[in-house]
Amino acid sequence: MTTDKDRMRRKDFASGIVLMLFGAWVVTETVARVPMKGSWGGVMNVWYVSPGLFPIFIGSVLFLFGCVLTGIAARHLGGAAIREAARARVSALAEIRDIPEPVFRFLAVVVILVFYIYLYMSRIDFFLNSTLFLAVIIPVFYLDEAQAQRRIFAFYVAGSALLIAVFALGLDGRIGGGLPHAPDWLALLFTAAVAACAWGQARGSGERTRKLRLALSMAVAAPLLIGGMFKYFLLVPLPREGLVVAVLDAVYFGLF
């Protein structure tokens, strides 16, 4: 019975942390996106009739329940058991490097597409988002060295998790100060880091270096060609127009 209760408390600890993070995300997103007061339709509205109150309440309650659940679980388990569980999770993550090749390829496709479509499409300039997508997915499947592919993928996942956390907590605006298109600058730096990681993995092999050079060239050229045709010849708005679109607009309208 004690072992079962310990296992349940460990799950409570993890669930409580997830609840805290989700509740904090709901509150910060609501505060950032929903005005608490202002004039709509000629009527001045006060904060206590704002539509943002309900999600703030729900997010706060989830955060509070997460704190209570985590606190009860931590008190039951103790610090030593929590550290041991954390080490076990890190060891389990390290074993991901040994997953079979078909599973890795399926996982890589799903994860990279989820980041590209669902997590980055509404936050990052279309050209930068597409360049980042191609800069990771082409080397992951084009380089013919399994460990290099997995290291590039692991670097991308770790960096993407950090980038999404920065966006969710609204830190991109604070990091960038008054810099226009701050999320795009962060995405540009991350894309350069991914390219540098891939280059480091390909270095030492002339064939892999040639393949990577071609892959990165395609990652830059394809979005510019296809996105440029949609934007300036078919006049189709892009999902997110930011830093690169501003530069292209200046060039295009300056020339034509």
Side-chain angles (χ1 to χ4, degrees), residues 23 55 63 66 72 96 98 104 109 118 165-166 205 242:
F63 183 82
I72 293 174
I96 289 178
D98 301 326
F104 167 74
V109 168
Y118 295 106
V166 169
S205 168

Side-chain angles (χ1 to χ4, degrees), residues 47-189:
W47 67 268
Y48 51 83
V49 297
S50 170
L53 279 184
F54 184 69
I56 288 176
F57 172 76
I58 295 296
S60 301
V61 170
L62 288 176
F63 183 82
L64 177 62
F65 284 174
C67 290
V68 173
L69 191 61
T70 304
I72 293 174
R75 189 173 60 180
H76 175 86
L77 294 172
I82 293 174
R83 286 193 294 273
E84 181 62 29
R87 279 195 290 269
R89 295 293 183 276
V90 171
S91 300
L93 287 175
E95 291 175 358
I96 289 178
R97 292 177 299 182
D98 301 326
I99 61 176
E101 187 66 16
V103 178
F104 167 74
R105 287 177 174 271
F106 174 77
L107 184 66
V109 168
V110 171
V111 170
I112 294 172
L113 280 176
V114 166
F115 274 110
Y116 175 60
I117 297 172
Y118 295 106
L119 298 177
Y120 286 153
M121 191 65 77
S122 62
R123 294 184 169 93
I124 299 175
D125 178 276
F126 173 79
F127 290 101
L128 285 173
N129 186 25
S130 299
T131 299
L132 174 59
F133 169 73
L134 294 175
V136 66
I137 201 166
I138 296 178
V140 163
F141 288 93
Y142 190 38
L143 296 182
D144 55 358
E145 210 280 312
Q147 291 304 317
Q149 294 169 336
R150 297 180 185 219
R151 290 191 189 107
I152 295 169
F153 177 67
F155 183 84
Y156 171 77
V157 171
S160 291
L162 179 62
L163 200 58
I164 290 298
V166 169
F167 291 155
L169 296 175
L171 299 178
D172 50 316
R174 299 177 190 173
I175 293 173
L179 186 68
H181 311 298
D184 296 337
W185 285 106
L186 292 176
L188 183 61
L189 290 175

